[in-house]
Amino acid sequence: MTTSDQRPLTNYDRRMYRLMNRREAAPFHATAARRRAVVLVHVALTGMSEVAWLFAVVGDERWATWTMLGLLLPWCFATGVINSSTRGLLELRARALDERQRAEKSRVTALAHRAMLWVLLAATIGSGGAALAGLEVEGFVFPVLFSVFVVHWLMPLWVAGLTARDEPDLDEDDDIAEVAGAAGAA
């Protein structure tokens, strides 16, 4: 099994492809509304986990560590649903993707970088405005930078989940042959 650039897929590539294309999570991302809901839940869980981590590290609060650990399992589940909805678009190596998937990955990455530009602009204006207003910003530098880092890290996943398209409902071989025949006739 090789891709268009003729580099052979490794066992790792094949395992990851099979993992990312499993259908157990399909009911959670079958429609655009469900995918949006999962992405919003993921954003909320990320935000809560980030706040808990900051309380644990900066505030030295013991409860925050347990809260963060409690949020880990639902966060991982939501991440898996988003990855399943995109068929592993961001997790698979480029050699395991076809031409269309590589173009989609580039599009998602560009959209995520564009969105991050606005997040960074808002953080810069917010911190600059706070400094100009006479507020002490030194205590907020680490939490704001950490928050921006987390958003930068996860933005491509969120954008991919929000922009994923519905898959055709193909349950039987007749449906697949019908779609293939229609594509060949076009």
Side-chain angles (χ1 to χ4, degrees):
M1 177 178 196
T2 60
T3 60
S4 62
D5 57 10
Q6 298 302 316
R7 285 184 287 168
L9 295 177
T10 64
N11 285 335
Y12 172 80
D13 293 327
R14 288 184 191 93
R15 271 194 324 269
M16 286 299 292
Y17 185 83
R18 280 193 305 272
L19 177 67
M20 293 295 164
N21 285 281
R22 292 180 63 165
R23 303 308 300 155
E24 287 88 356
F28 294 103
H29 60 77
T31 64
R34 289 181 188 173
R35 285 190 298 276
R36 286 186 198 109
V38 170
V39 170
L40 290 176
V41 166
H42 193 270
V43 169
L45 288 168
T46 299
M48 290 186 292
S49 298
E50 187 177 337
V51 168
W53 187 82
L54 287 169
F55 269 111
V57 172
V58 177
D60 199 25
E61 299 287 337
R62 192 164 274 192
W63 62 266
T65 303
W66 295 108
T67 302
M68 186 176 57
L69 289 174
L71 293 169
L72 184 62
L73 185 61
W75 185 88
C76 288
F77 179 77
T79 302
V81 170
I82 296 170
N83 278 331
S84 177
S85 73
T86 63
R87 301 268 188 171
L89 184 70
L90 300 171
E91 300 300 322
L92 296 173
R93 294 178 185 170
R95 67 175 152 218
L97 301 174
D98 61 23
E99 245 179 72
R100 180 196 56 79
Q101 291 169 317
R102 279 185 273 210
E104 179 70 13
K105 185 175 187 173
S106 295
R107 187 183 70 78
V108 164
T109 304
L111 281 171
H113 285 160
R114 208 170 304 142
M116 270 311 298
L117 172 70
W118 292 106
V119 170
L120 290 170
L121 181 64
T124 303
I125 290 172
S127 62
L132 289 175
L135 298 173
E136 189 168 320
V137 294
E138 287 84 17
F140 294 107
V141 170
F142 175 72
V144 168
L145 285 176
F146 179 72
S147 299
V148 169
F149 168 73
V150 170
V151 171
H152 176 70
W153 172 45
L154 293 172
M155 185 65 76
L157 179 68
W158 296 337
V159 169
L162 289 172
T163 60
R165 292 183 173 82
D166 290 342
E167 293 184 9
D169 190 20
L170 302 175
D171 290 333
E172 298 182 18
D173 293 334
D174 295 336
D175 292 338
I176 294 171
E178 197 174 300
V179 170

